[in-house]
Amino acid sequence: MLKTTLLHPGILGALGRSGHGSQVLIADGNYPFTTGSPSAAEKVFLNLSPGKVSVTDVLAALVESIPIEAATVMVPPDGAQQQILAELRALLPAGLELTSLKRHEFYDLARSPNTALVVATGEQRRFANLLLTIGVVRAVGDRSSTGAASAQSASSFRG
Amino acid sequence: MLKTTLLHPGILGALGRSGHGSQVLIADGNYPFTTGSPSAAEKVFLNLSPGKVSVTDVLAALVESIPIEAATVMVPPDGAQQQILAELRALLPAGLELTSLKRHEFYDLARSPNTALVVATGEQRRFANLLLTIGVVRAVGDRSSTGAASAQSASSFRG
Amino acid sequence: MLKTTLLHPGILGALGRSGHGSQVLIADGNYPFTTGSPSAAEKVFLNLSPGKVSVTDVLAALVESIPIEAATVMVPPDGAQQQILAELRALLPAGLELTSLKRHEFYDLARSPNTALVVATGEQRRFANLLLTIGVVRAVGDRSSTGAASAQSASSFRG
Amino acid sequence: MLKTTLLHPGILGALGRSGHGSQVLIADGNYPFTTGSPSAAEKVFLNLSPGKVSVTDVLAALVESIPIEAATVMVPPDGAQQQILAELRALLPAGLELTSLKRHEFYDLARSPNTALVVATGEQRRFANLLLTIGVVRAVGDRSSTGAASAQSASSFRG
Amino acid sequence: MLKTTLLHPGILGALGRSGHGSQVLIADGNYPFTTGSPSAAEKVFLNLSPGKVSVTDVLAALVESIPIEAATVMVPPDGAQQQILAELRALLPAGLELTSLKRHEFYDLARSPNTALVVATGEQRRFANLLLTIGVVRAVGDRSSTGAASAQSASSFRG
Amino acid sequence: MLKTTLLHPGILGALGRSGHGSQVLIADGNYPFTTGSPSAAEKVFLNLSPGKVSVTDVLAALVESIPIEAATVMVPPDGAQQQILAELRALLPAGLELTSLKRHEFYDLARSPNTALVVATGEQRRFANLLLTIGVVRAVGDRSSTGAASAQSASSFRG
Amino acid sequence: MLKTTLLHPGILGALGRSGHGSQVLIADGNYPFTTGSPSAAEKVFLNLSPGKVSVTDVLAALVESIPIEAATVMVPPDGAQQQILAELRALLPAGLELTSLKRHEFYDLARSPNTALVVATGEQRRFANLLLTIGVVRAVGDRSSTGAASAQSASSFRG
Amino acid sequence: MLKTTLLHPGILGALGRSGHGSQVLIADGNYPFTTGSPSAAEKVFLNLSPGKVSVTDVLAALVESIPIEAATVMVPPDGAQQQILAELRALLPAGLELTSLKRHEFYDLARSPNTALVVATGEQRRFANLLLTIGVVRAVGDRSSTGAASAQSASSFRG
Amino acid sequence: MLKTTLLHPGILGALGRSGHGSQVLIADGNYPFTTGSPSAAEKVFLNLSPGKVSVTDVLAALVESIPIEAATVMVPPDGAQQQILAELRALLPAGLELTSLKRHEFYDLARSPNTALVVATGEQRRFANLLLTIGVVRAVGDRSSTGAASAQSASSFRG
Amino acid sequence: MLKTTLLHPGILGALGRSGHGSQVLIADGNYPFTTGSPSAAEKVFLNLSPGKVSVTDVLAALVESIPIEAATVMVPPDGAQQQILAELRALLPAGLELTSLKRHEFYDLARSPNTALVVATGEQRRFANLLLTIGVVRAVGDRSSTGAASAQSASSFRG
């Protein structure tokens, strides 16, 4: 057993093959995991049963392990706020803006060849899908500028 | 042996990897199973012998296991009603409308990348193909609106 | 998304290929998942992070889906009771006896060719591994005798 | 769609790669399909749902397609007659003797490297497994003697 | 050994996965088997030696097993009649019209995604390629109309 | 198309990976092709239909292409001569002795790890299996002694 | 060991799956073997060491085994004659014209889906790549016309 | 890029599939990586060039990520101390005893089915192979006894 | 262990399948290794831990083994000079010009089908990716002109 | 194209995965390449045509790239000296003793799990097989003793 927060061999492997700009989809239980993502993306199935595991379980395990440059959520058709939103904000890096996309625009982005990993959950809340874009890990003392990366995506190395 | 109504490892696996908007084709015995569907779709062959298993056998096994948002049938060239139609209606959720498509339009829809699963049967009746679109499972008490989903596609969790 | 209690495509697939006498290992986070089981067994990794998912999460999802004829646990070297034991008993069918084996005897049984499925968890409690033996599903009204199967392993069909 | 009685691509393929002395297991719904057979055997899953398809459905589809030299059934522990027995006899070639083996002896035979094909069914009747040994197809006019083959296993070519 | 006219596991498997509108190419010994057909098509190599097996050997084995809706041949550049033509006509269903295409038009049709099976022969006669389109098998008593299917493509079930 | 007598890609490939002491099984239509040979052996299926191709068709195509050091046939239980024997002798190198083995001894030899290639035929004659052992190709002028090889197994290079 | 001039299992296999119009690339040691050819083409690596094997070694082994309808070489940017040219002409069928293409036009042709086989050599001479197009093998006595094939591409069968 | 000390997708994946008692071989540049380990073990090649990476590079990356219960080194035939020994001791957990085995005994242990991962290095120092046995990760507050595990193998969770 | 400077089996294999015009990407630790390169490219993961191995480690191992015709680096958005630049220049062949591309133009070039190999490093310096284009190896005494190749890309054979 | 003496991707890859004690078989044209070696060994086919390539071609390419600790040849049944012997001695490191084994003892050694690589040649000379055992590469200045390795197997690093 690894001594890290993140233990899953498939997730660790996919993240170790990814980098700046690669996307990670944490999908709720109703997401079309295979038909709604590129075939080249690694699929990890954690949808054990309704509610287990949740999207927030996965986000909590990931958030310490990778820098996050951007995050996108799927907006309900009536424009109402997603039930899961406050929990996502609490877990994501402070100050990171969430982009909201309508259902089919979200699918289009999730199906882009940049998606490297799809984590399927049993999340029961509706519109709880979260698409993360990986940022940059900086060595301590690195001050180089990054055009696209906002301050919160450039994490110092955690050693 | 599982204690559920649906026992087939290939069908269960494909459905567990699918979700809202994924399509399931239950194909009659004359359907071109491989050349008439996307190569990425899971193919399950239940075409043991003429009449075994039938399209209705498969639908009966599936209908309790997944929410169904839409259903499409192939219409005979003379516009006559398909022999299997009444049986399909009796098995499908009450109130679900069936869309009818001509042979080549039906093929086009079945070949879309949304098709996740093709179940080949030995059904002898003509024009007995059925293309299902998976809907949404809602947790008990969930009242969120869904633009595309009709009332009958949103099933409460069966536990 | 399936409407059943058990959603995982890999677990559902492996159970649909198993039967009377096949073994299912629900392994705690410290178990040697690959070197402690036969290579032919299906491996499902649900070890997201420490404590997620737990062995009891998996048992709760499985217990309604398969008949259980026997259950074996790994006993600590000092003979103390496993911390997880009461929770396991509460979830398992009433009256089912748990067999206790020492660490290496447990490994030997888990490595037998009868093991069809290994579910890796992030369970942090020690000695929390559980090895289930699948029993028999009986059709309603079936009264045939079964030598090896105790009463609680013969479940009537749940339809 | 083929014009023959037997339509299944996997069964047809496996039979076309088999011959005299190869074994075919038609397994009831409780059989341990993968752990109770050799890994090299072709596995065909027709266990759609409880009772569909039945062992007799499969036997009816096979019996016209291959010569059968021997047949073995699994005997209940109390020595009672299997519920399915009369139906099996009615379908098998007249005069073919059925060998009865106890559960674990049956498993041993089914796991022999001679087993080329396992057909998994949803058969609900208990002790309904059937293990067939393929015989010899003779050309019309062939009178050569066959040591092991009884009269009913030597079928003339059906053209 | 199967008791049917068609014994080949690869051909039987490919036909069992095909249906109405799928194409079968029986290629002469000079045909570019792999570069002249889609990669997804099943390739069966029966090109043992010059003349063995012939295109007519394969057609004779297939013609009883599948309904044939259409047949296409490759026409020599000088418009002369193919040496094999009379034999093909004698084997094909009475009344079925043969379409003639020039070399590169024939290649284009053979490379369409509808081609499910390529059977490579050692046929020495020139321009002896034959591209079949599978028709429909009707159950006895079925009178439904079929727009595209001519009379000879609708074969009654041969049981 | 190759200009050689032997055209089959699978047979040519397997022979090109074989050598002195490797065995080639030309199996009649009733032979258990997969369960009666090692899994590592290349399997080539030429069993198109009853009688096509025959064991002698295959032998005729092979005999010019490889040196043959030994040949073994399966003897009928009544000790009668195999119907195919004279034809085999006529095709094999003059003076090569044929070893006769009973059915199960023949199977044991065919299942040895020395078997590199199994060619399945549709041969209808009984007891028509032929197991060849590959000999040595000598360069012109090579006079080195070979312990195991008889005169007829040492062929001069055919250029 | 085969008794033919061409021994290589990979080359023999690829040629046995090719035919009229398929292309064979014999590449010099500096050719980009994988990025300069279609992924579906069989790759055979004979680039043991500088100069071994040479392009002419491969051509000498191939020229007796397949009919050659066309041949293309890569021309140096200064229009100078390739060092290898005279040797290629001496080995190729008398009268066959060589087409010369510039580097990137040659790449485009080599990357066409008609390329079935790439043989990588250790050839040190520059601009020594040779792209062959396979012609037609005619049975003795065949007089049919062939539009595209020149006289030298129609070889009589070599038995 | 992950934010952890260990970045390699193959090592992370193999460790996430391992557990208590699984072995990890960090092999020096002269070790027979494939023939000296079980085929089922994951092989990770980090042998870029002589000296890069070193065995100590790999140990430094691993030591924070997994609990180590035991460590074994290969002893030179003259019984001299390995040049790398002091560096290994400095990196390994304080108090962990190193077992020394002769070359062929070391090979035997490394080839055991418990070896889950082989990391090949370019380490130039002789007899620098290191075989680690993974221990147990304990949750904070866990006081259960472990027979085989010494104090230093039971690490508290690092979070 | 090989006696050469470059030891890695995956890098050696990929280079042995490449040639003039093939591209090799040495990627820093933040590069999106899989989503930022073609799926057909060989991926070699040397990203053991932050800083190990570095891009310069890989370049030093490669530079003696292949001719380099061109080199491209990724330029920071503020146009500042990359921290690694001087080290790259010192290792690359004297006189070779480095082309600078902006982030997304660099990605486009790295994703071209000419990229044969991606070496993932743990390089921590930002904008340290290096894309090499392989040149031509000339035999001693070869004086042929090469249009695209500059002087430094034409290396004499190193024996 | 690599600038090294050894260019072959398959040989380089297999050697990069091998080490001290791994065996390399350079097989003459009559050797049973697949049935006379372990299935796990990498097979490289360089048997283009009779005489090309020769065993000495391969040895010349290998001898500079790996340390050789031992060499074994196959002895003719009459005890005569192999025709190739003098050439082998001239290429092998000075002072290395050649062990001679009879045909079947040689096969037994070649089939040992230590054989990592089989290079198939078109060598026409009889009894020209050579089995090499890889030795140890020592860093400059390394003076550690090696029990099994003779002086000539310990090569200093060639840089």
Side-chain angles (χ1 to χ4, degrees), chain A residues 16-22 69 113-116 135-139 142 144-148 157, chain I residues 29-36 39 45 47 50 76-78 83 103 107 111 120 124-127:
Chain A
R17 292 188 293 269
S18 300
H20 189 192
S22 298
E69 179 176 297
N114 286 326
T115 300
V136 170
V137 177
R138 296 188 181 197
D142 173 13
S144 68
S145 70
T146 311
F157 168 62
Chain I
N30 277 302
Y31 196 86
F33 308 125
T34 48
T35 59
S39 66
F45 291 93
N47 52 342
D78 61 2
Q83 188 184 348
R103 184 178 165 212
Y107 284 176
R111 281 173 175 142
Q124 288 185 288
R125 285 169 288 190
R126 299 296 314 283
F127 299 99

Side-chain angles (χ1 to χ4, degrees), chain H residues 30 34-35 47 50 77-78 111 126, chain J residues 20 22 137 142 145-147 157:
Chain H
N30 278 301
T34 49
T35 60
N47 53 342
D78 60 3
R111 281 172 175 142
R126 298 294 315 284
Chain J
H20 189 192
S22 298
V137 177
D142 173 14
S145 69
T146 311
F157 170 64

Side-chain angles (χ1 to χ4, degrees), chain D residues 4-157:
Chain D
T4 48
T5 313
L6 184 57
L7 301 177
H8 195 280
I11 297 178
L12 285 164
L15 294 177
R17 293 188 293 267
S18 301
H20 189 192
S22 298
Q23 297 178 154
V24 175
L25 173 64
I26 311 178
D28 68 29
N30 277 303
Y31 195 86
F33 307 125
T34 49
T35 60
S37 64
S39 65
E42 177 89 12
K43 310 291 182 310
V44 169
F45 291 93
L46 300 181
N47 52 342
L48 172 62
S49 55
K52 303 248 165 176
V53 301
S54 67
V55 165
T56 41
D57 286 340
V58 177
L59 180 58
L62 286 185
V63 79
E64 289 299 303
S65 301
I66 49 167
I68 299 174
E69 181 176 294
T72 305
V73 291
M74 186 191 279
V75 73
D78 61 0
Q81 187 172 293
Q82 300 91 331
Q83 189 184 348
I84 202 175
L85 202 62
E87 290 183 43
L88 295 180
R89 283 199 201 282
L91 285 166
L92 285 166
L96 184 77
E97 196 177 353
L98 270 78
T99 305
S100 289
L101 291 180
K102 292 188 181 166
R103 184 178 164 211
H104 286 285
E105 291 170 346
F106 187 93
Y107 284 176
D108 287 348
L109 190 64
R111 281 172 175 143
S112 110
N114 285 326
T115 299
L117 171 64
V118 175
V119 183
T121 72
E123 175 68 67
Q124 288 185 286
R125 285 170 289 189
R126 299 293 315 283
F127 300 99
N129 302 296
L130 178 66
L131 187 64
L132 303 173
T133 304
I134 297 178
V136 170
V137 177
R138 296 185 182 200
V140 177
D142 173 13
R143 293 174 184 282
S144 67
S145 70
T146 312
S150 57
Q152 54 276 26
S153 78
S155 319
S156 32
F157 169 63

Side-chain angles (χ1 to χ4, degrees), chain H residues 29-36 45 47 50 76-78 83 103 107 111 124-127, chain J residues 16-22 113-114 116 135-139 142 144-148 157:
Chain H
N30 278 301
Y31 195 87
F33 308 123
T34 49
T35 60
F45 292 94
N47 53 342
D78 60 3
Q83 189 184 345
R103 183 178 166 212
Y107 284 177
R111 281 172 175 142
Q124 287 185 287
R125 285 170 289 189
R126 298 294 315 284
F127 300 99
Chain J
R17 293 187 293 268
S18 300
H20 189 192
S22 298
N114 285 326
V136 170
V137 177
R138 294 187 183 198
D142 173 14
S144 67
S145 69
T146 311
F157 170 64

Side-chain angles (χ1 to χ4, degrees), chain E:
Chain E
M1 189 180 180
L2 285 159
K3 297 197 291 186
T4 48
T5 314
L6 184 57
L7 300 176
H8 195 280
I11 297 178
L12 285 165
L15 295 177
R17 292 188 292 268
S18 300
H20 189 193
S22 297
Q23 297 179 155
V24 175
L25 173 64
I26 311 178
D28 68 29
N30 279 302
Y31 195 87
F33 308 125
T34 48
T35 58
S37 64
S39 65
E42 177 90 10
K43 311 289 184 312
V44 169
F45 291 93
L46 299 180
N47 53 341
L48 172 62
S49 56
K52 302 248 163 174
V53 303
S54 67
V55 165
T56 41
D57 287 340
V58 177
L59 180 57
L62 286 185
V63 77
E64 289 298 304
S65 302
I66 47 168
I68 300 175
E69 180 176 295
T72 306
V73 292
M74 187 191 277
V75 75
D78 61 2
Q81 188 172 293
Q82 301 91 332
Q83 190 184 345
I84 201 175
L85 202 63
E87 289 183 43
L88 294 181
R89 282 197 200 282
L91 285 165
L92 285 165
L96 184 77
E97 196 177 354
L98 270 76
T99 305
S100 289
L101 291 180
K102 293 188 181 168
R103 185 181 164 209
H104 286 285
E105 290 170 346
F106 187 94
Y107 284 176
D108 288 348
L109 190 63
R111 281 172 176 142
S112 109
N114 285 325
T115 300
L117 171 65
V118 175
V119 184
T121 72
E123 175 67 67
Q124 289 186 287
R125 286 169 289 189
R126 299 294 316 282
F127 300 98
N129 302 297
L130 179 66
L131 187 64
L132 304 172
T133 304
I134 297 178
V136 170
V137 177
R138 293 187 183 198
V140 177
D142 173 13
R143 291 170 186 285
S144 67
S145 70
T146 312
S150 59
Q152 54 275 30
S153 77
S155 318
S156 33
F157 169 62
R158 182 170 152 273

Side-chain angles (χ1 to χ4, degrees), chain G residues 97-119:
Chain G
E97 196 178 355
L98 269 78
T99 305
S100 289
L101 291 180
K102 293 187 182 168
R103 184 179 165 211
H104 286 285
E105 290 171 346
F106 187 94
Y107 285 176
D108 288 347
L109 190 63
R111 282 172 175 142
S112 108
N114 286 325
T115 299
L117 172 64
V118 175
V119 184

